[in-house]
Amino acid sequence: MFRTNTCGELRLSDAGRTVTLAGWVQRVRKMGGMTFLDLRDRYGITQVVFESSDNEALNEAANRLGREYVVQVTGTVAERTAKNPHLPTGDIEIIARELRVLNPSEVPPFTIEDDTDGGDDLRMRYRYLDLRRAPVRRNLELRHRMTMEVRRYLDSKGFLEIETPMLVGSTPEGARDFVVPSRMNPGQFYALPQSPQTLKQLLMVSGMDRYFQIVKCFRDEDLRADRQPEFTQIDCEMSFIEQNDVIELFEGMAKHLFKTIRGIELTEPFIRMPWADAMKYYGSDKPDLRFDMKFVELMDVLKGYGFSVFDNAEYIGGIVAKGAAHYTRKQLDALTEYVKRPQIGAKGLVYARVGEDGTVKSSVDKFYTQDILRAMADKMGAEAGDLILIISGDDTMRARKQLCELRLEMGRQLGLRDKDKFACLWVVDFPMFEWSDEEQRLMAMHHPFTHPKDEDIPMLDTDPAAVRADAYDMVINGVEVGGGSIRIHNADLQAKMFEILGFTPEKAQEQFGFLMNAFKYGAPPHGGLAYGLDRWVSLFAGLDSIRDCIAFPKNNSGRDVMLDAPAPLDQKQLDELNLAVELPEA
Ligand code: ASP
């Protein structure tokens, strides 16, 4: 037998047994006549002792071991005198009798311990070594347990796991595609799926009724901390359902994950917040509800008193930071700088403190009487000791987004965004379309297959921008963890949708003919959603970036620095694919 036990397994009850372990040398320490070896594998760390009085040669061999050597050790389990309460195996050690080096190792480029000295780039380059570290490995273990629970839950609800192809056609809507040239079809290209959206809808036309897939999706977008060019979705679709059915079933899945993975029992139904309210009260379609700090609109209270910034504003809104009146001038200046950063773009910040005697002192005192400031504080529900922060602007949406950033930053500063606290909600009733300045046309906010709300369908002809959709997002702690919609299943309505989105009938037929044709053969009412697996795992693991829960992620420029991809192709490959590369001049 190669090993009788793993390095995380042995306990005091095993004392006296002869065992064989195999693993990596985490560390070797020489103390007096003894040598201590920390032996590591996926399951844990076990201390191995070599006593020179027993066997000089063996002890010397142990002293020659370097970090990350792969070894096999046989010995006897013994109770430790100095126990280590931080290790599950900390009550025992192995008194070694035999040592075999299975494979030596070069000195690793960084220390492979929980706290490493390796910088980001180095660890990415040697990701296979980084994955030996317990904190990183634990994220992958968590990811595995989550996908197991997802499968268990969906299987129990009658879902079939069905694979859809990775080589599909390019779709113009949404993000940019990654494309793959076809050798057998010269000059033609596949695209990697941005999501299996249309395919899962076709599976509903096929009568599969309930489908899911834990599937890679590809989007050629600019990267952020919570984005990777390839990422994993838990993609689902159901037939003969209404929006409420989908919401309930997938809320059930979220609760199942919270319970089985985090041991948290969520008994209350999730809040369902119309998109318009989310924007009005939190300036975001993914509000972080771990803390309140709702926006209060102040146009009626503060406009018209000679303060030109407010007098010319289209929006004035504020938040109350409870108990933060102690903020110093310096802290408030820093907050002002924060919202003025180009990424946020506010022109400035007005603040007011409510004193212990109830008087309100603001940064714009010269324009407002105490009565007006009091009226403002009352409207906002601000009390003694509170800090009021106000943002204004000539574009309501933009000003709300700025106030949203300020709210999140205040929540962070006041310690209200605890990673172990979870606030879940559904944002519902999204607008069907949003205007794109770049394209100078309406774009689908979710995607072109989303069903408009029945009562809003007449407005498709008169005021499409006002049409709401049967679309919903699940949001946890300010992160969009999933989203979906009820779909159009009627060929005429689908054609109309493409028309509103600016497709000519020919173009719609060319791009989506397969779907509209399928709808002619008895498409059932259907809908679904996709959860972002990477985001779920990050949320449960308390990670700042989804990168840390992906075995081999890309860096911020979309590169895999370990594989050194992407890379140029050699001429032979290019020729086979009928491709010529022409780079813009540097
Ligand atoms: N395909 C959609 C997405 O990737 C999700 C869905 O509507 O089911 O966002």
Side-chain angles (χ1 to χ4, degrees), residues 85-112:
H86 304 297
L87 273 188
T89 61
D91 288 349
I92 58 105
E93 59 196 2
I94 312 292
I95 313 291
R97 274 210 316 270
E98 278 170 49
L99 169 69
R100 219 173 112 203
V101 174
L102 302 171
N103 212 347
S105 168
E106 288 190 13
V107 177
F110 51 87
T111 46
I112 299 177

Side-chain angles (χ1 to χ4, degrees), residues 195 197 200 219 233 235-237 446-447 483-485 487 528-530:
S195 93
Q197 183 58 37
K200 67 175 171 178
R219 293 181 193 173
Q233 286 196 343
D235 191 48
C236 310
E237 197 74 6
H446 186 50
H447 51 53
S485 59
R487 325 298 184 189
L529 115 182

Side-chain angles (χ1 to χ4, degrees), residues 91 132 137 141 308 337 375 475:
D91 288 349
R132 284 187 195 163
R137 190 198 63 233
E141 288 170 348
S308 64
E337 285 314 308
V475 175

Side-chain angles (χ1 to χ4, degrees), residues 142-217:
L142 175 70
R143 189 179 178 107
H144 164 76
R145 279 189 283 124
M146 291 185 74
T147 54
M148 292 298 283
E149 288 305 334
V150 165
R151 290 199 161 95
R152 224 190 301 278
Y153 179 82
L154 291 175
D155 179 60
S156 80
K157 301 288 180 194
F159 283 75
L160 298 179
E161 185 167 11
I162 302 173
E163 287 167 273
T164 52
M166 286 289 112
L167 294 176
V168 295
S170 174
T171 48
E173 203 66 15
R176 261 181 233 105
D177 287 318
F178 282 101
V179 295
V180 180
S182 166
R183 180 183 56 80
M184 288 192 287
N185 302 275
Q188 299 190 355
F189 296 81
Y190 301 102
L192 301 177
Q194 294 187 26
S195 93
Q197 183 58 37
T198 48
L199 293 158
K200 67 175 171 178
Q201 291 189 242
L202 293 178
L203 287 171
M204 296 303 104
V205 180
S206 310
M208 289 303 141
D209 201 65
R210 291 183 168 203
Y211 141 96
F212 87 100
Q213 185 179 193
I214 299 180
V215 62
K216 273 292 173 73
C217 300

Side-chain angles (χ1 to χ4, degrees), residues 25-26 28 62-70 105:
V25 173
Q26 166 121 345
V28 187
N63 276 313
R64 283 194 298 271
L65 294 175
R67 276 182 184 262
E68 302 308 314
Y69 274 45
V70 186
S105 168

Side-chain angles (χ1 to χ4, degrees), residues 495 498 503-517 520:
F498 287 133
F503 288 75
T504 60
E506 298 73 39
K507 192 82 186 153
Q509 189 59 34
E510 180 191 315
Q511 298 281 351
F512 295 110
F514 64 95
L515 188 70
M516 287 190 290
N517 282 342
K520 292 179 190 155

Side-chain angles (χ1 to χ4, degrees), residues 226-450:
D226 60 350
R227 285 219 181 126
Q228 283 273 308
E230 54 177 302
F231 58 96
T232 306
Q233 286 196 343
I234 304 165
D235 191 48
C236 310
E237 197 74 6
M238 310 163 75
S239 293
F240 302 115
I241 41 81
E242 291 172 348
Q243 169 162 319
N244 197 43
D245 302 307
V246 182
I247 287 191
E248 277 181 7
L249 197 131
F250 288 98
E251 186 168 317
M253 184 166 123
K255 287 177 173 169
H256 177 79
L257 288 174
F258 268 102
K259 186 165 160 202
T260 53
I261 304 292
R262 289 293 307 243
I264 297 172
E265 194 107 35
L266 299 175
T267 47
E268 297 293 314
F270 293 2
I271 295 169
R272 296 186 196 178
M273 188 182 291
W275 177 88
D277 284 357
M279 299 310 289
K280 180 169 180 193
Y281 294 119
Y282 302 98
S284 166
D285 57 5
K286 42 181 194 297
D288 183 347
L289 296 192
R290 278 174 294 183
F291 62 108
D292 192 29
M293 232 186 258
K294 240 192 208 145
F295 297 1
V296 181
E297 289 185 10
L298 297 169
M299 293 282 279
D300 55 342
V301 195
L302 296 178
K303 216 174 155 129
Y305 294 93
F307 179 42
S308 64
V309 173
F310 284 176
D311 288 352
N312 297 326
E314 190 196 293
Y315 177 85
I316 308 170
I319 51 175
V320 178
K322 285 271 151 217
H326 59 80
Y327 259 53
T328 60
R329 179 63 197 266
K330 204 168 150 215
Q331 283 173 301
L332 290 163
D333 286 347
L335 272 181
T336 308
E337 285 314 308
Y338 180 80
V339 296
K340 282 166 83 175
R341 299 188 325 182
Q343 306 94 299
I344 299 179
K347 293 234 173 58
L349 177 63
V350 168
Y351 54 84
R353 301 186 183 89
V354 187
E356 287 311 320
D357 60 357
T359 54
V360 184
K361 286 210 71 56
S362 80
S363 54
V364 287
D365 270 0
K366 67 173 175 218
F367 297 103
Y368 297 99
T369 63
Q370 189 53 215
D371 281 351
I372 295 169
L373 293 174
R374 263 298 347 148
M376 168 186 81
D378 288 344
K379 180 170 186 196
M380 299 182 82
E383 296 166 339
D386 292 348
L387 174 68
I388 293 170
L389 299 168
I390 302 167
I391 280 195
S392 66
D394 47 20
D395 179 309
T396 300
M397 274 296 185
R398 207 175 306 140
R400 280 176 176 165
K401 284 198 175 126
Q402 293 158 354
L403 191 53
C404 165
E405 295 295 336
L406 177 65
R407 174 181 176 271
L408 291 174
E409 175 60 17
M410 275 317 282
R412 191 188 65 75
Q413 291 191 10
L414 298 176
L416 303 173
R417 301 177 71 191
D418 182 349
K419 282 186 172 168
D420 286 317
K421 209 170 125 189
F422 296 98
C424 314
L425 76 149
W426 291 97
V427 176
V428 296
D429 300 350
F430 276 81
M432 189 72 215
F433 307 103
E434 63 189 332
W435 177 257
S436 161
D437 281 334
E438 194 182 320
E439 304 240 346
Q440 285 294 305
R441 66 172 177 101
L442 289 176
M443 308 270 285
M445 193 148 187
H446 186 50
H447 51 53
F449 318 107
T450 295

